[in-house]
Amino acid sequence: MDSEIGHIINAAKLHTKLYGDSLPMIASENITSPIVRRLVASDLGHRYAEGRVGHRYYQGCKYIDQIEETAIKLAKRLFEAEHVNVQPTSGVNANLAAFFALTDPGDLLMPLDVPHGGHISHARYSAAGIRELKIECLPFNNEEMNIDADLMVKKILDIKPKIVMFGASLFLFPHPVKEARQAADDVGAKIVYDAAHVLGLIAGKQFQDPLREGADVVTGSTHKTFPGPQGALILCKSDVADEIDDAVFPGTVSNHHLHHIAGLAATLSEMIAFGEDYARQTVANAKALGQALYETGLDVLCEKNGFTESHQIAIDVSKYKGGAKVASNLERANIIANKNLLPWDDVNNPDNPSGVRLGVQELTRLDMKELEMEEIASFIKRVVVDEEKPEKVKKDAILLKRRHQIVHYCFNRGSAYGFPEYR
Ligand SMILES: Cc1ncc(COP(=O)(O)O)c(C=O)c1O
């Protein structure tokens, strides 16, 4: 075998082994089920199917149509959505399509600011800027780690945005969608809810239900708490369906990723069967981790509100040299997390923010429960508070992880870390 290919295969094997021995706690990731992995590796990944079901610009799409139609049908059922588009290739792509569908250049967008948890695609330097939107941020209450609903209503009536944008990357508590609906109607604004992080919790009915609370459009990645292949979907009301579809194709996607659509359809089916149990355990685990870390003396945000209602918790580690140092020490102990801006941080200085963000959705899928969360909290305490050598803690992290190698909450459970052999 060519030596560079051999090198790549070796690196991929080592990566797989590293994750098999690690505790992955990045809140935006997940692992797919064995069935989904097979579909993602199928011939579908080589093909083109520009257009919509039954109206393609390429031949050979007979079975692709069946797959995409099934994905749409399952998503409509799971999310009780009037209309679904499964073609965006990422969450940012879905947001960009929503902006193109609902605004003109120069219109006003009202999202969360990035240090308050807003995603870069809601900001001038990403998708919102590409659509040339002006931005006025939602008022935020740092204590509650949530939008201030009263101030929000006043601001909507005052500045009359074209889109009120909910959803976040640091997303601990449900957003005030219901509270915004009347004000949005009064000024002719649409409500877009970016469910990238919480799509799986919404599917499992353990978070808010943005469509019923008044969102016109819901965008979301399909690979965070929703444990599918990387990609995104858009759920919306019928009255904006044509604009959304046109903004996806031909607006912002040419060929969507057909192997991921097949994997998405299978994940939707698995979430219909197992999503409630999975989402319930995920939220219970996040709360348990928050409580256990708080008891170690760490400054876990929002103790008085139970730390979180989602899959994430946030810790202010400024007194332990900040998020960059802590995340890097945790990595040495095989605990994979990310440094994170907190509301009091400077957005122009993202390299050493005060926070770390921890997500439990992937560990939950590997059948970890409250007891394991307590064990992980003790590892984190040893690294961060006790300043024990991370390499010593790593041994215990590996022992814990070796007991959790099988993907749960899916049909045909199987190994999370298999690697096909090549000769
Ligand atoms: C709130 C939010 N929206 C959108 C995205 C972008 O999703 P993707 O990485 O699928 O483009 C993210 C990514 O983490 C996010 O947190």
Side-chain angles (χ1 to χ4, degrees), residues 53-71:
V53 174
H55 185 245
R56 305 289 190 188
Y57 293 90
Y58 293 82
Q59 300 311 122
C61 297
K62 177 161 69 171
Y63 299 110
I64 291 168
D65 272 359
Q66 289 178 14
I67 290 166
E68 189 166 333
E69 194 171 26
T70 306

Side-chain angles (χ1 to χ4, degrees), residues 52 83 85 101 236-249:
R52 300 193 188 136
H83 183 77
N85 189 309
C236 67
K237 303 242 167 88
S238 308
D239 61 339
V240 290
D242 289 345
E243 289 89 338
I244 289 288
D245 284 349
D246 290 347
V248 174
F249 176 84

Side-chain angles (χ1 to χ4, degrees), residues 141-212:
N141 180 327
N142 292 356
E143 276 282 297
E144 304 285 328
M145 284 300 285
N146 207 340
I147 296 158
D148 183 318
D150 292 337
L151 291 179
M152 168 192 76
V153 168
K154 285 199 188 97
K155 194 163 178 180
I156 293 171
L157 296 173
D158 185 26
I159 66 170
K160 303 183 178 50
K162 197 68 181 279
I163 293 180
V164 180
M165 180 105 192
F166 293 108
S169 303
L170 180 56
F171 201 174
L172 303 178
F173 301 104
H175 282 169
V177 181
K178 259 194 261 146
E179 291 83 342
R181 186 64 265 178
Q182 186 60 52
D185 282 342
D186 290 349
V187 302
K190 295 284 186 213
I191 295 181
V192 178
Y193 184 104
D194 181 344
H197 265 271
V198 292
L199 194 69
L201 305 182
I202 292 170
K205 304 193 186 337
Q206 305 301 312
F207 204 64
Q208 67 191 133
D209 183 350
L211 284 174
R212 252 54 55 195

Side-chain angles (χ1 to χ4, degrees), residues 28 89-93 95 117-119 121-122 167-170 194-197 221-224 231-232 357:
S28 57
T89 53
S90 76
V92 170
N93 178 188
N95 286 341
H119 187 250
S121 59
H122 312 169
S169 303
L170 180 56
D194 181 344
H197 265 271
S221 311
T222 50
H223 49 264
K224 302 184 198 290
R357 182 187 66 170

Side-chain angles (χ1 to χ4, degrees), residues 35-97:
I35 292 172
V36 172
R37 284 175 186 221
R38 286 176 64 188
L39 289 166
V40 167
S42 71
D43 180 71
L44 289 156
H46 308 137
R47 304 300 156 202
Y48 260 70
E50 282 181 6
R52 300 193 188 136
V53 174
H55 185 245
R56 305 289 190 188
Y57 293 90
Y58 293 82
Q59 300 311 122
C61 297
K62 177 161 69 171
Y63 299 110
I64 291 168
D65 272 359
Q66 289 178 14
I67 290 166
E68 189 166 333
E69 194 171 26
T70 306
I72 292 169
K73 189 182 77 187
L74 292 171
K76 278 187 174 170
R77 193 193 320 162
L78 181 60
F79 295 104
E80 297 173 61
E82 289 172 19
H83 183 77
V84 176
N85 189 309
V86 293
Q87 297 186 346
T89 53
S90 76
V92 170
N93 178 188
N95 286 341
L96 189 61

